[in-house]
Amino acid sequence: MNEVLLRSLTPSVLGILVRRGADFAAAEDAVQDALVEAVRVWPADHPRDPKGWLVTVAWRRFLDATRADTARRRREDLVEEEPAPGPAPAVDDTLQLYFLCAHPSLTPSSAVALTLRAVGGLTTRQIAQAYLVPEATMAQRISRAKRTVSGVRFDQPGDVATVLRVLYLVFNEGYSGDVDLAAEAIRLTRQLAAAIDHPEVVGLLALMLLHHARRAARTAPDGSLVPLAEQDRGQWNTESIAAGVEMLQTALARDRLGEFQAQAAIAALHADAPTAEETDWVQIVEWYDELARLTDSPIVRLNRAVAVGEADGPRVGLAALVALDDSLPRHAAVAAYLHERDGDLATAARLYAVAARKAPNLAERDHLTRQAARLNARGCR
């Protein structure tokens, strides 16, 4: 069973059902039923036209559910409109669906959560981690969003800012999480940049390219994480870096600074340094100050503490941590790193172990565990 194929076809099939008159919640349920049926049937009888097969099965499931729902008898005229099996139009509706999910009837946070779940393919757990909320809270938020848009006609697409937020979170999950969605997020952001003249769209695309350029160097052959300072910069994709820097300069020239442009500027300064020791940490701190002003995000302030520790010394970085909630994701890892830089190996080892227990994925947990073991071994000598 080709799960990648199913995942890639899902947005387009969902878009076809919505255009044919299905409300979003019912269309999503029908597509999910079709995917389950595909998992059952395809291994023994793979269709020649997978997309057309999914459209036909999903549409039948939608019609069946419509007939059974007495509250929606007004949709009974759709029964005779069941499409015949055959090739489906080769139209990529994914970006359109992102805008439709960002519906004006939803709050921005609910629109993002719904899109990540329905179109982006992320699990409720992954979305909850991105939003720093419990999984149960996020499940309720998604359920409320589905109820809100149930029966709503999707003729009022949402705003660009919400779509950008979704694309950013999809890229982050694909870049560092369990599901590889980074390339898809870049593709959709390219489409958006070609369709809309907006400096933050360009800034987001630049940020994605600059981060993606380092991807080959982020893991060792055994799958373990390689920190930025230890990465082989010869593995970085210089073409992507050059393209990202050029896009960033174009966006900044518009003098409409936004958070994605600020993040891209930080990534560009990392990419521009020939070695880790030559990184311009003073400028990076200045950009983090701009980013904190734009977002007021505790995660931004946590990352800023690392940059301050590099620019002004670990004790100054540790002082910057005092004002932050120690329950923040990766707070313990940042504190461990700064304590190690300050020479307090016992405290650093303990905090690395704490951070490992809170790590959001296996690769990060193993890395932090090795860091704790390394320092404990040094302390025993």
Side-chain angles (χ1 to χ4, degrees), residues 175-222:
Y175 188 70
S176 61
D178 302 324
V179 182
D180 186 358
L181 297 169
E184 174 69 358
I186 291 174
R187 183 183 72 84
L188 293 174
T189 307
R190 284 189 188 279
Q191 286 187 8
L192 188 58
I196 298 177
D197 182 19
H198 194 298
E200 272 291 82
V201 177
V202 178
L204 177 58
L205 182 55
L207 173 64
M208 290 178 174
L209 292 177
L210 289 165
H211 276 307
H212 208 59
R214 304 200 303 258
R215 186 166 191 176
R218 291 185 71 247
T219 55
D222 63 1

Side-chain angles (χ1 to χ4, degrees), residues 345 348-354 356 366-378:
L345 303 188
R350 177 179 59 79
L351 288 170
Y352 275 130
V354 171
D366 289 347
H367 170 72
L368 293 166
T369 299
R370 283 192 295 270
Q371 295 294 85
R374 173 179 58 83
L375 294 185
N376 282 327
R378 286 177 59 182

Side-chain angles (χ1 to χ4, degrees), residues 41-64:
V41 172
W42 285 12
D45 185 18
H46 197 281
R48 285 179 296 177
D49 178 18
K51 182 177 177 181
W53 189 98
L54 286 172
V55 170
T56 299
V57 173
W59 186 253
R60 285 173 178 164
R61 295 300 173 89
F62 165 70
L63 292 178
D64 289 343

Side-chain angles (χ1 to χ4, degrees), residues 212-232:
H212 208 59
R214 304 200 303 258
R215 186 166 191 176
R218 291 185 71 247
T219 55
D222 63 1
S224 59
L225 291 181
V226 180
L228 176 60
E230 300 172 19
Q231 290 177 13
D232 176 6

Side-chain angles (χ1 to χ4, degrees), residues 30-262:
V31 172
Q32 291 300 320
D33 287 344
L35 293 176
V36 171
E37 185 70 6
V39 171
R40 187 182 70 82
V41 172
W42 285 12
D45 185 18
H46 197 281
R48 285 179 296 177
D49 178 18
K51 182 177 177 181
W53 189 98
L54 286 172
V55 170
T56 299
V57 173
W59 186 253
R60 285 173 178 164
R61 295 300 173 89
F62 165 70
L63 292 178
D64 289 343
T66 299
R67 295 186 192 105
D69 189 351
T70 56
R72 293 189 176 127
R73 289 179 181 175
R74 64 183 183 280
R75 299 183 182 274
E76 287 181 355
D77 60 321
L78 298 176
V79 172
E80 302 302 323
E81 299 179 15
E82 177 181 337
V91 178
D92 184 357
D93 299 303
T94 309
L95 190 58
Q96 179 187 11
L97 284 172
Y98 273 67
F99 272 97
L100 292 177
C101 285
H103 197 269
S105 63
L106 296 173
T107 64
S109 60
S110 294
V112 171
L114 178 62
T115 312
L116 290 173
R117 183 72 185 92
V119 188
L122 275 65
T123 66
T124 303
R125 177 183 59 82
Q126 291 168 325
I127 302 169
Q129 289 176 347
Y131 268 90
L132 311 181
V133 299
E135 184 175 348
T137 300
M138 183 52 65
Q140 292 174 355
R141 183 179 300 178
I142 294 172
S143 295
R144 285 196 299 269
K146 288 182 178 180
R147 288 196 299 270
T148 299
V149 300
S150 179
V152 170
R153 298 297 299 183
F154 283 81
D155 55 0
Q156 292 181 278
D159 65 351
V160 176
T162 301
V163 174
L164 287 179
R165 175 62 51 191
V166 175
L167 289 169
Y168 172 69
L169 291 173
V170 169
F171 176 82
N172 277 350
E173 188 61 40
Y175 188 70
S176 61
D178 302 324
V179 182
D180 186 358
L181 297 169
E184 174 69 358
I186 291 174
R187 183 183 72 84
L188 293 174
T189 307
R190 284 189 188 279
Q191 286 187 8
L192 188 58
I196 298 177
D197 182 19
H198 194 298
E200 272 291 82
V201 177
V202 178
L204 177 58
L205 182 55
L207 173 64
M208 290 178 174
L209 292 177
L210 289 165
H211 276 307
H212 208 59
R214 304 200 303 258
R215 186 166 191 176
R218 291 185 71 247
T219 55
D222 63 1
S224 59
L225 291 181
V226 180
L228 176 60
E230 300 172 19
Q231 290 177 13
D232 176 6
R233 300 187 178 218
Q235 294 186 52
W236 291 1
N237 187 320
T238 55
E239 291 184 4
S240 290
I241 291 173
V245 169
E246 182 178 358
M247 290 177 185
L248 173 62
Q249 291 172 340
T250 299
L252 291 176
R254 302 280 295 276
D255 197 25
R256 290 167 55 193
L257 183 63
E259 62 173 296
F260 296 123
Q261 295 170 68

